[in-house]
Amino acid sequence: MNQQPLEVMKSSFVGVPYSLCVAHEITSEGYGFSVSCETGTVTDVFQPSAEE
């Protein structure tokens, strides 16, 4: 499976209103994300750390 590049994911999802569909699309590519409590939009998409 080819993972979308991080920059493509950021440009596609940062600023988009949070929904379960958006969350699924981001996490299915193996990325994490953060959401603003004030605006309800995605504020960042990131590569999760391999460390636990």
Side-chain angles (χ1 to χ4, degrees):
M1 181 172 108
N2 291 333
Q3 184 180 42
Q4 293 286 334
L6 179 58
E7 291 306 314
V8 170
M9 293 297 288
K10 282 187 178 195
S11 66
S12 296
F13 291 104
V14 170
V16 173
Y18 172 82
S19 69
L20 289 177
C21 182
V22 167
H24 176 72
E25 288 185 49
I26 295 171
T27 57
S28 69
E29 289 288 336
Y31 294 109
F33 63 96
S34 58
V35 176
S36 168
C37 292
E38 293 178 4
T39 63
T41 59
V42 176
T43 56
D44 193 21
V45 177
F46 55 87
Q47 182 72 50
S49 172
E51 299 177 7
E52 291 186 357

